[in-house]
Amino acid sequence: MKVVITSQEKEMNSHVDARFGRAAYFALYDTETGQVDWLQNQVGTQQHGAGTGAVNRLANLGVEKIFACVFGAKVKPLLDELGIQMIVVQEGETVGHIIEMLQDRKK
Amino acid sequence: MVGRPQKIRKIAGAPTVSGFRPCGPRRHRGGHHSGRMQEHIMLLFEEYESIRLLDYEGNNQTDAAELMHVSRPTLTRIYQRARQKVAQAFIEGRPIKFEGGNVHYETEWYQCTSCHSVFNIPQNATDTTSSMECPLCGKTEIIVYHNPDNLMTEE
């Protein structure tokens, strides 16, 4: 399963980027292979439609869960419709820690 | 001139069936279907929801309006349309079909008491096995989270 964690930088110890649509990077983590890909959020600086643009891109990649601290009002119904789960984590959480927790779950 | 866009109505969930059909005409019991099936009456989800909240759950209109995130007069109008349509279907013996309308599903939010992350369960999720464990830490002490508006920002 592919999940996405918003990230401020392209590093495992970077913090989760609070706002989903405005996130700097997305850490695309594959729970099967353990692989992490870093995607730059090109639409993050757009005035409008950042969240929905990001959703479309991630949905095309087959992402099933998204970890962030806040989701935009337009994003929620879209994700509901696509059946993508939203997980709101505590601010200050790191990408690496979330991935560790997901790895621990599998055991 | 373009009118003001409709507010989005919140509903708890889609109806469990896609519609209703009359049993058939009274005088032709056991016989062939007489004529064509009459044209459907489209009952919008928001109209269905108003009947569910008011008549089924017994809420008053003020509370029901709040639950659907519309004003009380709007709720009254939605409900009037709903009753008018149901009555029409009954009297004219026409089938009812439930249809979208301008709605937004109210998904429930849950919180893990262990890692405090808050999450929803998408209705059409493929991964249903883990529905009641935390998607982050996997613990099963989950409570319903009551302030989902805190999680949303306007773009």
Side-chain angles (χ1 to χ4, degrees):
Chain A
M1 177 178 53
K2 286 178 183 166
V3 305
V4 151
I5 306 151
T6 59
S7 180
Q8 293 175 355
E9 284 151 77
K10 285 163 79 168
E11 282 168 38
M12 285 299 240
N13 61 2
S14 64
H15 286 144
V16 169
D17 209 339
R19 296 166 67 195
F20 164 71
R22 303 289 172 199
Y25 296 97
F26 296 122
L28 180 65
Y29 172 60
D30 190 324
T31 57
E32 313 293 310
T33 63
Q35 195 187 335
V36 182
D37 291 314
W38 301 92
L39 312 174
Q40 193 170 6
N41 182 18
Q42 306 109 322
V43 294
T45 50
Q46 275 178 20
Q47 205 127 61
H48 298 288
T52 48
V55 168
N56 288 335
R57 179 173 174 213
L58 298 178
N60 285 335
L61 294 169
V63 169
E64 289 179 46
K65 294 177 187 214
I66 296 175
F67 294 82
C69 303
V70 198
F71 292 90
K74 289 180 208 151
V75 165
K76 184 181 178 288
L78 196 59
L79 290 175
D80 274 344
E81 208 173 294
L82 293 164
I84 297 175
Q85 187 176 34
M86 287 166 270
I87 299 124
V88 179
V89 296
Q90 305 288 301
E91 279 194 48
E93 192 67 79
T94 65
V95 175
H97 187 228
I98 288 177
I99 289 177
E100 260 171 48
M101 282 204 265
L102 293 173
Q103 280 166 344
D104 285 346
R105 280 197 55 182
K106 280 185 76 181
K107 285 171 196 162
Chain B
M1 205 166 81
V2 181
R4 190 178 171 283
Q6 270 197 348
K7 267 200 183 165
I8 293 174
R9 293 88 160 90
K10 289 207 177 181
I11 72 167
T16 47
V17 295
S18 62
F20 284 93
R21 255 196 323 238
C23 300
R26 253 173 85 84
R27 292 185 207 96
H28 296 269
R29 214 188 295 185
H32 300 288
H33 283 293
S34 69
R36 284 157 284 120
M37 180 71 97
Q38 291 223 57
E39 209 186 316
H40 284 94
I41 288 181
M42 297 295 184
L43 193 71
L44 299 179
F45 283 178
E46 63 199 52
E47 291 159 357
Y48 163 91
E49 180 75 351
S50 72
I51 293 180
R52 192 184 69 81
L53 288 172
L54 294 166
D55 295 319
Y56 184 75
E57 288 198 342
N59 291 293
N60 63 35
Q61 294 205 354
T62 315
D63 293 343
E66 210 164 285
L67 289 166
M68 287 179 71
H69 287 219
V70 294
S71 72
R72 216 271 311 140
T74 302
L75 186 269
T76 306
R77 277 195 303 277
I78 293 173
Y79 181 57
Q80 266 169 1
R81 276 201 299 272
R83 289 177 57 148
Q84 208 277 325
K85 286 183 182 179
V86 171
Q88 196 187 355
F90 260 54
I91 307 308
E92 298 177 10
R94 287 168 62 174
I96 294 176
K97 226 178 207 167
F98 296 131
E99 198 195 38
N102 190 15
V103 295
H104 160 56
Y105 293 106
E106 183 77 284
T107 48
E108 290 249 62
W109 289 86
Y110 302 94
Q111 184 165 36
C112 171
T113 54
S114 172
C115 69
H116 302 294
S117 59
V118 177
F119 56 94
N120 71 336
I121 310 279
Q123 291 203 325
N124 50 345
T126 45
D127 180 24
T128 48
T129 45
S130 60
S131 54
M132 258 320 162
E133 42 182 71
C134 173
L136 183 55
C137 67
K139 300 274 168 34
T140 51
E141 288 84 50
I142 306 297
I143 53 169
V144 174
Y145 185 75
H146 289 292
N147 298 313
D149 288 343
N150 295 351
L151 315 173
M152 304 296 145
T153 53
E154 292 299 332
E155 291 265 353

